[in-house]
Amino acid sequence: MKILITGVSKGLGRVLADTYMAEGHTVIGCGRDPEKILDLRFACGEGHRFDIVDVAQANKVDVWFETVDASHGIPDLIINNAAIMNTPANLWEVPTKEFHQLIDVNVKGVYNVIRTFVPAMVKRGTGTIVNLSSGWGVSTSPQVGPYCASKYAIEGLSQAMAQELPDPMACIPLNPGIIATDMLAKVFGDESEQYPTAEEWGKIAAPFILKLGRAENGQSVTVG
């Protein structure tokens, strides 16, 4: 299976990439960190592809699609994982630049990938799109208003898109659960260490995601 993953430089994206490559799948990934993308290129075997791409930049995603299509063709599964967390603060205290950047990555980035890759998947008539949501996409907490807004948007975007896709395609918003990542530590601090690591999560999440399909189209699902 050809699997495209955004935000593959670290955290959940890196764990999924490593897991799927080890299982023999072809992984196509992108991230913003040049050093970590280079590390992935050296670490992976032949047949995979990792590029430095900021999904918030529509023109960069356009170019990425053209090069991926030329080298690997259209993916069977897209996992829109790339996202950032705001520095915890009351909504009115969040800097405008930080708010805009979060929406650009977490919402517009997902749209940019869908806009470029999904038309070819629809033309082919097959494919699954999994958009990572959050528990904060269906509930709220103080001081993470921008992140909540972005993940509520992912829930709505995914559920609406699911109604537009032809059978047997599917679009699914996925809540990964609470995992001890750098993003969680930004909000929870040392408390984040009590939750499962990304590696522990990956053992359950990687096979779970591969089983998602038309039966879950438009449904909000949670790993585990």
Side-chain angles (χ1 to χ4, degrees), residues 93-146:
E93 296 171 335
V94 176
T96 300
K97 182 178 180 180
E98 184 177 0
F99 184 90
H100 285 184
Q101 182 183 25
L102 185 147
I103 296 300
D104 284 348
V105 174
N106 295 14
V107 182
K108 294 180 183 178
V110 172
Y111 163 73
N112 288 334
V113 172
I114 288 171
R115 176 183 57 81
T116 52
F117 284 89
V118 171
M121 296 171 77
V122 171
K123 184 177 180 180
R124 185 184 60 196
T126 59
T128 299
I129 301 92
V130 175
N131 299 322
L132 262 66
S133 179
S134 170
W136 281 326
V138 293
S139 65
T140 57
S141 294
Q143 302 203 319
V144 288

Side-chain angles (χ1 to χ4, degrees), residues 41-177:
R41 288 177 181 171
F42 281 123
C44 72
E46 294 183 3
H48 307 288
R49 179 182 182 123
F50 297 100
D51 295 295
I52 303 165
V53 181
D54 181 353
V55 294
Q57 299 186 37
N59 60 328
K60 298 294 179 62
V61 179
D62 288 344
V63 173
W64 188 44
F65 165 73
E66 294 295 340
T67 56
V68 168
D69 186 27
S71 67
H72 286 72
I74 306 303
D76 303 297
L77 169 64
I78 292 176
I79 303 174
N80 277 308
N81 164 71
I84 58 176
M85 172 65 72
N86 64 281
T87 302
N90 294 325
L91 183 59
W92 58 89
E93 296 171 335
V94 176
T96 300
K97 182 178 180 180
E98 184 177 0
F99 184 90
H100 285 184
Q101 182 183 25
L102 185 147
I103 296 300
D104 284 348
V105 174
N106 295 14
V107 182
K108 294 180 183 178
V110 172
Y111 163 73
N112 288 334
V113 172
I114 288 171
R115 176 183 57 81
T116 52
F117 284 89
V118 171
M121 296 171 77
V122 171
K123 184 177 180 180
R124 185 184 60 196
T126 59
T128 299
I129 301 92
V130 175
N131 299 322
L132 262 66
S133 179
S134 170
W136 281 326
V138 293
S139 65
T140 57
S141 294
Q143 302 203 319
V144 288
Y147 188 79
C148 290
S150 73
K151 293 305 181 178
Y152 266 81
I154 292 303
E155 288 285 334
L157 177 152
S158 301
Q159 292 176 40
M161 179 178 162
Q163 299 172 58
E164 301 162 352
L165 291 173
D167 193 356
M169 293 185 68
C171 180
I172 302 153
L174 172 70
N175 172 12

Side-chain angles (χ1 to χ4, degrees), residues 25-38:
H25 299 286
T26 298
V27 176
I28 302 155
C30 75
R32 295 185 298 169
D33 189 317
E35 184 175 346
K36 290 180 179 178
I37 291 296
L38 190 60

Side-chain angles (χ1 to χ4, degrees), residues 202-217:
K203 293 177 182 178
I204 299 172
F208 179 84
I209 291 172
L210 290 184
K211 294 178 182 178
L212 296 175
R214 187 66 180 185
E216 294 78 25
N217 186 42

